[in-house]
Amino acid sequence: MQPETTIIARPETAAPTTRSAVHKTVLMCRPEHFTVSYRINPWMHPEIPTSTSTAVRQWETLYDAYRGLGYDVELIDPIEGLNDMVYAANGGFTLDGKAYGAKFTYEQRVPEGPAYMAWFAANGFEVHEPQQINEGEGDFLLSNGAILAGHGFRTSLESHDELRGIFGREVVSLRLVDPAFYHLDTAIAILDDENIAYLPKAFDDASRAELERRYPDAVHVNEEDAAVLGLNSFGDGRTMLIAGRATDFERQLTERGYETIGLDLSELLLGGGGIKCCTLELRR
């Protein structure tokens, strides 16, 4: 598959942007060892060849986009044999200068937890080693001062109690029910401090009702756009970086006055990840 051209799209009919961007600092990991050699999610098919060089090239478009927006981008060294380390979001969760480490579900990814915790410690964070299974910002998203916390596939409900104890914030537990959307950041995108986009069918009835109550003006994304990991996006409150093939989601965002940058991370999608999976926000 040929990489898509980077898209910066704002239709003439879109409302003028009055949104303010929030400065972001993020952690990324260059996919020098990316491949799909095992299957731990529905997206992964080891029988389909992957290209590390294509993954690196596509990852670099995301890195360059962040730098172009003025983000501070920090890097963790990739470790040979850890194919999925590029999905930095799973490495932990940071807030108020603290880092809650990851404790992975599958043995293939377990060594990533200590590697990310060592990076946090070396870079000034107060590190909290997890006792409960969790996959970091893959399942923990900060929204309007609260932490939206997924469970059901990769993160245990018990880890939500650890999260509350460490950060002293409200934690909103949300149960994921669709194996294709096994991390919260594949089913919810944080748009700004007050609003989100999400795929309703990814959640059980109680969680969906809670999201409807908290976010009555949320963007509901269709299944086609979610299936290209359109919701696995990241932004600064003004500009959203999204999967270039999530065309209806892009339209919804521009109609609400967001700027969008569409990118092709199709090679990394073969491992079950996209833009947000490659991005761990650092909140010092």
Side-chain angles (χ1 to χ4, degrees):
M1 181 179 295
Q2 294 296 316
E4 299 172 12
T5 302
T6 299
I7 307 162
I8 303 179
R10 288 194 62 222
E12 293 180 2
T13 55
T17 298
T18 58
R19 302 180 182 278
S20 298
V22 176
H23 181 76
K24 296 287 185 176
T25 301
V26 299
L27 178 63
M28 300 181 71
C29 182
R30 187 179 176 88
E32 293 179 4
H33 307 296
F34 173 77
T35 189
V36 176
S37 59
Y38 47 79
R39 192 168 197 233
I40 60 173
N41 68 56
W43 303 88
M44 302 175 88
H45 295 277
E47 70 277 9
I48 298 176
T50 55
S51 168
T52 302
S53 62
T54 300
V56 169
R57 185 169 66 252
Q58 293 180 354
W59 178 91
E60 286 175 342
T61 67
L62 177 60
Y63 175 87
D64 290 344
Y66 285 154
R67 294 295 300 272
L69 289 169
Y71 289 19
D72 292 327
V73 183
E74 302 184 30
L75 298 173
I76 183 172
D77 292 334
I79 297 173
E80 188 172 0
L82 298 183
N83 305 350
D84 291 337
M85 197 169 172
V86 60
Y87 304 125
N90 306 147
F93 178 79
T94 71
L95 183 61
D96 302 330
K98 302 174 184 177
Y100 177 41
K103 186 174 182 180
F104 285 86
T105 299
Y106 289 99
E107 62 179 358
Q108 293 93 334
R109 299 197 67 183
V110 166
E112 293 180 46
Y116 276 96
M117 282 189 281
W119 189 94
F120 294 139
N123 286 272
F125 286 91
E126 176 186 307
V127 178
H128 294 260
E129 185 172 353
Q131 301 303 309
Q132 303 296 334
I133 297 293
N134 83 88
E135 297 198 357
E137 208 171 53
D139 276 317
F140 304 143
L141 300 173
L142 185 66
S143 173
N144 198 23
I147 302 171
L148 305 182
H151 67 103
F153 294 105
R154 296 294 195 87
T155 292
S156 70
L157 185 59
E158 291 78 11
S159 71
H160 299 184
D161 291 329
E162 281 192 321
L163 201 65
R164 290 185 187 92
I166 293 167
F167 297 105
R169 300 290 187 102
E170 180 187 13
V171 174
V172 182
S173 296
L174 302 168
R175 183 172 182 82
L176 296 160
V177 295
D178 188 328
F181 305 101
Y182 57 94
H183 276 146
L184 191 66
D185 68 1
T186 67
I188 288 181
I190 303 298
L191 302 183
D192 53 40
D193 281 344
E194 297 181 350
N195 216 349
I196 65 168
Y198 68 102
L199 176 67
K201 73 176 290 289
F203 300 92
D204 70 4
D205 291 344
S207 301
R208 191 162 52 247
E210 181 64 17
L211 290 171
E212 291 170 356
R213 184 186 71 81
R214 285 177 176 266
Y215 304 101
D217 297 322
V219 175
H220 289 187
V221 173
N222 65 41
E223 197 165 353
E224 291 75 17
D225 282 359
V228 294
L229 291 192
L231 283 164
N232 195 241
S233 59
F234 190 76
D236 56 17
R238 181 174 65 192
T239 303
M240 291 294 298
L241 292 92
I242 69 170
R245 290 183 287 170
T247 53
D248 191 65
F249 183 33
E250 181 182 22
R251 175 192 60 77
Q252 291 173 291
L253 291 173
T254 56
E255 286 178 353
R256 293 184 180 223
Y258 295 94
E259 297 181 1
T260 62
I261 299 177
L263 298 174
D264 175 27
L265 267 64
S266 54
E267 198 67 21
L268 292 167
L269 179 60
L270 297 177
I275 290 168
K276 178 62 187 70
C277 285
C278 294
T279 310
L280 173 61
E281 187 165 0
L282 300 176
R283 306 177 186 91
R284 291 189 171 91

